[in-house]
């Protein structure tokens, strides 16, 4: 057996849970991604989606994607740098820049490759990159590609952030990179304090709004807008795969910085450009965000209802302030087991284990959409109470 095969043979965790029938990943859905989906031939309530606005099966967005495919074809067959820039790419970039309050924006084919490509082009040797220790994996991979000095601070601990800033050379470039909404825990970055420290230590701030767009701020402009700090944030990143019902991502900021990234971000200039369908879908979803504020209102109404019900039932949900509600289990085996029990009861939730969290912080992630009903939330919570009590997670 070769070295690679020998190493793989020791990777027993998935096989162990598969043999026990509680392996919870790669579950197949054979219907539209909506509040209710078809899996294994039965209907299941979907509480594991990032489609916060509930737009992935909106007919207007589907029609826009079809029309773009009919006009431009199924793909661009090249990078944006060469033959892959369409007029609708430019249209989307202009509308996104206006929406988040920046000079210009740049669209990538996935949200992951925004962070992977942008971060290492902003900081290099002699510079510093400072990250929250619960930042998304795309931020982690982006910083690893940089030659800058890497610093991390304990999650949302502003004293710890200040101590890291104090380690930096005063005249060096210091980039603080943070999620606006943390995707597993549902809590918000302390942007007001981060901006205060930015000014005190002459740093720059890059905010990942993947889970903030559509949810927070005016018409879903994000957490930066929610705190009234857009002008103080140097770069704002976002994705299309959550509230914008598509696939792709963008970064927005000062026009000179965006122009630099347009010519240097490797995951932009060496990656095939986003498909016409995905681009048109994101444009239409953005228009819906701007013209239908009742969607955001519905999301917060159902979120606040669910938060109260979970707390009243005795669940440990941490510091969440968003439609992402962590239900802490604090045991890997039970995390997988409760996910399977919930599915058997007709409720789809996502298990979260290391490296997505610390070993002592395993949880199941319950996420809401604007289109969820109170009856659906009641059904799901009642079933989850039953499952958690069955495993003695909830007393």
């Amino acid at each position: 057996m070769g070295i690679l095969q020998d190493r793989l043979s020791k990777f027993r965790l998935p096989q162990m849970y598969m043999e026990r029938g509680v392996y919870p990943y790669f579950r197949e859905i054979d219907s539209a991604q909506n509040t209710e989906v078809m899996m294994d031939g039965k209907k299941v309530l979907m509480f594991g989606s990032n489609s916060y606005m509930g737009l992935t099966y909106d007919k207007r967005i589907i029609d826009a994607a079809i029309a773009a495919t009919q006009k431009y074809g199924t793909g661009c067959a090249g990078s944006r740098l060469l033959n892959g820039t369409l007029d609708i790419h430019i249209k989307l970039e202009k509308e996104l820049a206006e929406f988040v309050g920046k000079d210009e924006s740049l669209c990538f084919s996935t949200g992951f490759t925004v962070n992977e490509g942008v971060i290492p082009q902003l900081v290099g040797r002699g510079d510093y990159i400072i990250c929250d220790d619960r930042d998304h994996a795309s931020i982690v991979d982006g910083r690893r590609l940089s030659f800058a000095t890497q610093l991390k601070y304990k999650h949302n601990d502003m004293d710890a952030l200040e101590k890291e800033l104090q380690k930096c050379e005063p005249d060096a470039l210091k980039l603080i990179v943070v999620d606006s909404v943390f995707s597993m825990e549902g809590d918000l970055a302390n942007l007001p304090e981060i901006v205060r420290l930015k000014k005190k230590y002459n740093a720059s701030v890059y905010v990942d709004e993947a889970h903030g767009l559509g949810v927070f701020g005016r018409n879903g402009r994000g957490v930066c807008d929610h705190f009234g700090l857009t002008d103080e944030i140097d770069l704002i990143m976002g994705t299309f795969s959550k509230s914008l019902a598509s696939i792709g991502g963008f970064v927005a900021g000062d026009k000179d910085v965006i122009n630099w990234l347009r010519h240097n971000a490797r995951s932009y200039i060496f990656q095939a450009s986003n498909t016409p369908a995905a681009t048109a879908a994101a444009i239409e979803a953005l228009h819906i965000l701007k013209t239908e504020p009742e969607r955001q209102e519905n999301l917060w109404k159902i979120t606040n209802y669910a938060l109260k019900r979970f707390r009243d039932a005795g669940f440990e949900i941490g510091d969440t302030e968003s439609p992402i509600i962590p239900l802490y289990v604090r045991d890997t085996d039970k995390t997988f087991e409760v996910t399977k029990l919930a599915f058997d009861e007709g409720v789809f939730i996502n298990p979260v284990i290391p490296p997505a969290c610390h070993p002592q912080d395993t949880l199941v992630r319950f996420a809401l959409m604007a289109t969820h009903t109170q009856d659906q939330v009641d059904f799901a919570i009642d079933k989850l109470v039953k499952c958690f009590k069955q495993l003695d997670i909830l007393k």
Side-chain angles (χ1 to χ4, degrees):
M1 182 181 288
I3 295 174
L4 177 59
Q5 288 78 9
D6 183 56
R7 180 171 296 175
L8 292 177
S9 71
K10 297 174 183 177
F11 186 57
R12 289 283 301 150
L13 188 65
Q15 290 90 332
M16 179 179 70
Y17 288 110
M18 287 175 184
E19 289 163 6
R20 287 170 51 186
V22 295
Y23 184 70
Y25 301 119
F26 304 104
R27 293 173 282 178
E28 295 180 18
I29 299 170
D30 56 10
S31 67
Q33 184 85 238
N34 216 322
T35 58
E36 191 174 77
V37 299
M38 290 297 298
M39 300 182 69
D40 293 343
K42 71 175 184 178
K43 291 181 180 179
V44 181
L45 287 179
M46 171 54 71
F47 287 99
S49 173
N50 294 323
S51 179
Y52 303 116
M53 291 294 102
L55 289 172
T56 54
Y57 201 60
D58 188 285
K59 187 177 185 303
R60 294 165 293 179
I61 295 175
I62 294 170
D63 288 344
I66 291 171
T69 302
Q70 290 173 334
K71 178 176 180 179
Y72 299 99
T74 56
C76 295
S79 70
R80 288 287 303 275
L81 181 70
L82 300 175
N83 63 300
T85 294
L86 303 176
D87 54 356
I88 55 173
H89 290 133
I90 304 302
K91 175 180 173 64
L92 177 56
E93 288 173 341
K94 288 180 178 178
E95 292 195 15
L96 285 167
E98 184 276 329
F99 186 66
V100 300
K102 292 299 179 185
D103 289 348
E104 293 185 6
S105 77
L106 197 63
C107 288
F108 290 63
S109 297
T110 68
F112 197 102
T113 54
V114 178
N115 288 334
E116 194 176 49
V118 170
I119 293 170
Q121 290 303 323
L122 297 175
V123 284
R125 287 187 176 89
D127 301 329
Y128 298 87
I129 179 168
I130 309 154
C131 295
D132 188 293
D133 69 3
R134 294 190 191 174
D135 277 347
H136 188 263
S138 58
I139 294 174
V140 173
D141 283 6
R143 70 174 175 79
R144 285 173 175 170
L145 290 171
S146 170
F147 291 107
T149 299
Q150 317 271 318
L151 301 172
K152 288 193 296 183
Y153 61 94
K154 186 179 178 181
H155 177 56
N156 252 346
D157 185 331
M158 296 297 99
D159 290 336
L161 170 57
E162 183 160 21
K163 287 177 182 177
E164 296 303 324
L165 286 165
Q166 289 169 347
K167 296 176 183 178
C168 303
E169 293 293 329
D171 296 328
L173 194 162
K174 300 170 282 292
L175 182 68
I176 303 168
V177 184
V178 67
D179 288 307
S180 67
V181 181
F182 291 89
S183 59
M184 298 297 110
E185 297 83 7
D187 55 340
L188 306 188
N190 189 348
L191 288 187
E193 184 64 10
I194 289 172
V195 166
R196 186 188 73 80
L197 292 173
K198 162 197 166 169
K199 293 177 178 178
K200 182 176 180 180
Y201 292 95
N202 190 28
S204 300
V205 179
Y206 177 109
V207 175
D208 182 330
E209 287 272 28
H211 296 270
L213 286 176
V215 179
F216 290 88
R218 296 166 300 143
N219 294 99
R221 283 174 169 81
V223 176
C224 299
D225 181 86
H226 168 75
F227 283 120
L229 293 172
T230 296
D231 291 343
E232 304 292 344
I233 305 301
D234 299 275
L235 286 152
I236 294 174
M237 175 271 181
T239 62
F240 308 153
S241 54
K242 283 83 177 173
S243 292
L244 294 183
S246 184
I247 184 71
F250 73 95
V251 62
D254 176 87
K255 63 181 181 180
D256 291 334
V257 175
I258 297 301
N259 194 43
W260 163 261
L261 294 170
R262 184 178 289 117
H263 293 88
N264 290 278
R266 293 172 65 83
S267 61
Y268 176 81
I269 60 177
F270 293 109
Q271 181 173 226
S273 60
N274 213 348
T275 65
T279 305
I283 291 172
E284 185 62 27
L286 185 59
H287 292 170
I288 292 171
L289 281 190
K290 291 190 285 188
T291 58
E292 296 184 5
E294 63 271 19
R295 286 186 173 271
Q296 189 180 16
E297 293 166 9
N298 290 343
L299 177 63
W300 279 105
K301 181 179 178 181
I302 200 68
T303 294
N304 290 328
Y305 177 78
L307 286 169
K308 184 178 187 305
R309 277 226 52 196
F310 276 120
R311 289 191 177 107
D312 289 347
F315 285 87
E316 182 188 355
I317 63 172
D319 299 320
T320 180
E321 302 176 63
S322 73
I324 300 166
I325 304 178
L327 309 178
Y328 283 93
V329 179
R330 304 194 183 282
D331 179 286
T332 298
D333 283 355
K334 288 186 177 182
T335 299
F336 282 0
E337 289 167 7
V338 80
T339 301
K340 176 62 164 60
L341 289 176
F343 180 81
D344 291 342
E345 294 284 352
V347 180
F348 184 109
I349 48 176
N350 287 316
V352 181
I353 64 167
C357 67
H358 296 303
Q360 69 274 19
D361 293 333
T362 67
L363 58 96
V364 291
R365 182 183 185 272
F366 185 96
L368 291 151
M369 295 183 254
T371 44
H372 276 124
T373 67
Q374 185 172 308
D375 285 345
Q376 289 174 328
V377 169
D378 283 336
F379 177 90
I381 294 177
D382 289 344
K383 295 297 185 182
L384 289 169
V385 167
K386 175 184 175 181
C387 296
F388 272 58
K389 285 186 174 179
Q390 185 175 333
L391 295 173
D392 293 321
I393 306 166
L394 197 65
K395 304 301 182 185

